[in-house]
Amino acid sequence: MIKALLTGHSRGLGTAIADALLARGIPLLALARSGNPQLCSAHPDLLQEVSLDFSDTPSLQAWLHTPALRDFFADAESALLINNAGLLQPVGLVGEADATAIAHAVAVNVTAPLLLTNAFVATTRHCADRRVVHISSGAARSPYAGWSVYCATKAALDHQARAMAAEHLPGLRVASLAPGVVDTAMQAEIRASSVEQFPQKGRFEALKNSGQLTSPDKAAQRLVNYLLGPNFGDVVDGDLRHLPD
């Protein structure tokens, strides 16, 4: 049996990933600050939700010390972890961000996925096949003025995946994948930024206006196909648009 753990399922790409997994009959433990009533109604026997605020590191640590993960994966033969939850903010040039906002972003974008990955790997040692995917970004690999915090946090996940892959743990595959420019609320945040905060705002407005944004459903289907396929993990830090299913 395949079982999956997903963060950030309450909206956007996370909702689409959850839907793609559940549609395949994969039991899902979903962690987010808010629930997703529509998914719960559609898949009451497959979806378990846990309300967690990933910026509250002590609360996440406390949850990880409960038997919830162990109990969920106890009968799994294959186990998946999708670290999807993330924040774009704070957007702005260095020296302008609030210290609390920076710490908040690092907790959500880096600390939480590292804690979850560590717990997942420890909990699923009995599984013959274990797969971890971090949802990365092109910003992890190319610098953007105004996004120094977001760039740094996504780059941290990329490098953590590289280090994990170098450890060659039994049955464990890992990839940090950029999904492309997906039409989510985060893109709306980008377009709401000022040019002073984010000098490349016009480029993202043009992508939206010209219909070049990928739908969350399309990106999620491609991600889940690749995650479940035989080639997963061959490329540790890739762009999902350029990888085979």
Side-chain angles (χ1 to χ4, degrees), residues 12-145:
L13 181 60
T15 294
I17 293 170
D19 196 47
L21 291 166
L22 293 164
R24 288 165 168 78
I26 296 174
L28 179 63
L29 179 59
L31 314 180
R33 189 171 53 184
S34 303
N36 192 316
Q38 185 174 356
L39 283 177
C40 284
S41 177
H43 304 280
D45 298 328
L46 291 176
L47 177 61
Q48 297 181 38
E49 292 185 306
V50 176
S51 177
L52 283 171
D53 181 349
F54 294 131
S55 69
D56 185 351
T57 300
S59 291
L60 175 57
Q61 289 176 298
W63 182 77
L64 289 172
H65 280 100
T66 72
L69 270 187
R70 184 194 66 203
D71 291 348
F72 178 73
F73 283 113
D75 60 348
E77 298 169 348
S78 299
L80 312 173
L81 168 60
I82 305 100
N83 282 311
N84 165 72
L87 295 175
L88 174 67
Q89 300 295 336
V91 173
L93 304 184
V94 173
E96 296 178 353
D98 176 74
T100 301
I102 294 173
H104 187 89
V106 172
V108 173
N109 291 1
V110 182
T111 305
L114 264 58
L115 289 174
L116 286 165
T117 299
N118 184 69
F120 171 83
V121 172
T123 301
T124 59
R125 289 190 176 104
H126 65 285
C127 296
D129 182 29
R130 304 179 288 166
R131 305 186 182 197
V132 176
V133 59
H134 300 322
I135 302 302
S136 185
S137 168
R141 298 143 200 180
S142 300
Y144 288 83

Side-chain angles (χ1 to χ4, degrees), residues 136-139 141-142 158 175-182 203 214 222-223 226 235-244:
S136 185
S137 168
R141 298 143 200 180
S142 300
D158 277 9
S176 192
L177 302 177
V181 188
V182 184
R203 173 181 170 237
T214 303
R222 186 161 183 78
L223 174 71
Y226 182 66
V235 177
V236 177
D237 52 357
D239 186 316
L240 187 61
R241 296 168 296 182
H242 305 145
L243 295 173

Side-chain angles (χ1 to χ4, degrees), residues 188-205:
E189 279 187 69
I190 293 168
R191 297 191 298 274
S193 304
S194 69
V195 174
E196 290 74 23
Q197 290 175 309
F198 182 51
Q200 293 201 47
K201 172 184 176 179
R203 173 181 170 237
F204 288 85
E205 289 177 327

Side-chain angles (χ1 to χ4, degrees), residues 140-184:
R141 298 143 200 180
S142 300
Y144 288 83
W147 281 6
S148 63
V149 174
Y150 186 66
C151 289
T153 56
K154 288 300 184 180
L157 291 188
D158 277 9
H159 211 46
Q160 193 267 354
R162 296 181 192 110
M164 279 182 64
E167 293 176 0
H168 302 292
L169 297 179
L172 183 64
R173 306 189 207 182
V174 59
S176 192
L177 302 177
V181 188
V182 184
D183 196 3
T184 64

